[in-house]
Amino acid sequence: MNRSPTAERAVRADGLVCTFGATTVIADLTLDVIAGELFAILGPSGCGKTTALRLLAGFERPSAGRLTLLRDLVAAPSVHVPPERRGIGMVFQDYALFPHMSVGENVAYGVPVPGDRRGRVAEVLTLTGLSGFADRRVHELSGGEQQRVALARALAPRPRLLLLDEPFSNLDPTLRARVRGELREIVKRAGTTAILVTHDQEEALSIADRVAFMWRGRIEQVGTPDEIYRLPATIHAAEFIGDANLFRARADGGCVATPFGEYPAPAGADRVAIVVRPEDVELRPDGVPGRLVAREYYGHDQVLHVRLVGGALVRVRAGPRLHAQGTEVALALRAAPVVLVDDGDAEGAGAG
Ligand code: ATP
C-alpha cells in the first residue's frame, strides 16, 4: 500500500455531522482515504456505519463538516453535490439486482454511454470472473456469484469510489472467507478506491488495508489491521476488536500496578484500563500463580480461564494440551500490555 506523502487522497471527510430530528447519529466522521485503498469502517450495530456511507454517497446531507472526493468539495453545510454526480458505485447489502434481467443486462444497466456498453460489460465480467455468465438469469446464481454481479455493475461506470454496505452479510458463513478474498482481488485489479462497512471484525481485519473503528457516531481510531489490533487506542476498540482481558486500576505517579507487575501509565491519567490479549499470556513456571477454573476447547487451541492468587481472572490462549480443571498454573506476559486512559464510558462494550 503506497502511503507516501505524494499518494493521492481520494476521500477526505472532515468533522461530518448528521442528525435525524433531535438525534445525532454521526457526531464526527473524520477520515482520509488514499486512492486505491480498500478501507473498512468497523463498529457495532447501530453505531452509524450505514449512515456514514449514505453521507459519503450523498443520500444524506451533513449539518456540519466538509466532504471532499478527490479534489472536489461535494458536501458542506452550503454545498450538496447529488449522488449521481459524485462518481460513486454502491454495492448494497441485498445486492439490489434486477431478478428478471440477465447478468449482462444487470451489468449494462450500470454503464452510462450506450456505445461503450458491450465492451465495458465484457471487460467487467472478465474482471469479476463472470465471463461465461452474461446470459444467465440472476436467480440461477449462487449468493457469491450474485455478489460478483453486484460488484461488476457497480464497477462498470468506472466509479472513483466504491462503497460496500456489509457486503458479506447475505452469504453462508462457509462461503464468506473465500468471497472476501475474491472481493479484495477484484477491487485491487480494478484499481478503485473502496470503503466497506461491517460489524464483523474478522472481515475488516482480513481484507482492508486500513480500518476505521467507529463507536456511537465517531471514528475513534484509524490504522492498519495490525495497529488496530495490537495497539487499540480506546477501551471500546480493545473490547470490540478481538478478545481482550481488561483490568481497571488507578495510576499512581505515572505507573500502574497490574497482576503482572508495574507498567507505565499514560501521562496525567488517573484511572486506566490495562489490555492484555489472551495470546500474549503464557503458562510459565516462574509466573504469577493461579488456578485453572474453566476452559473453552477449540481443537487447534483452547482458552484457559485462570484465577490468579490476587483474585484477577485471566483468559489465556494456550495449545491444545489438556489441563484438568483445578490445576495449579502460573502465568506470565509475553509482551507489555497496552495501558489506556479509562474515561468511565465503556458500558455496553462488555467492560468489567
Ligand atoms: P447496523 O450495523 O445495525 O446496520 P449501523 O452501524 O449501520 O447499524 P445506522 O443504520 O447508520 O447504524 O444507524 C445508526 C442509528 O441511527 C440507529 O440508531 C438508527 O436507528 C438511527 N437512524 C438511522 N437512520 C435514521 C433515520 N432516517 N431517522 C432516524 N434515525 C435513524
Side-chain angles (χ1 to χ4, degrees), residues 20 25 44-51 166:
F20 296 117
V25 171
S45 180
C47 74
K49 302 179 299 293
T50 298
T51 309
E166 299 274 0

Side-chain angles (χ1 to χ4, degrees), residues 128-140:
T128 50
L130 291 169
S131 23
F133 288 68
D135 298 325
R136 296 269 290 273
R137 300 275 131 189
V138 164
H139 70 264
E140 298 167 9

Side-chain angles (χ1 to χ4, degrees), residues 3-28:
R3 287 207 275 141
S4 71
T6 53
E8 192 170 18
R9 194 184 288 132
V11 181
R12 160 158 264 189
D14 193 5
L16 295 179
V17 175
C18 185
T19 55
F20 296 117
T23 313
T24 300
V25 171
I26 300 293
D28 177 4

Side-chain angles (χ1 to χ4, degrees), residues 13 38 60 66 76 105 134 136 194 237 239 258 297 315:
L38 174 48
E60 305 294 346
R66 293 162 64 83
E105 286 163 347
R136 296 269 290 273
E239 293 201 300
T258 79
Y297 186 70
R315 290 195 315 287

Side-chain angles (χ1 to χ4, degrees), residues 30 37 64 95 100 102-103 119 141 170 174 187 203 293 300:
T30 296
E37 218 174 8
Y95 312 143
H100 57 287
S102 69
V103 169
L141 305 181
N170 266 345
T174 53
V187 167
E203 223 161 85
V293 292
H300 43 76

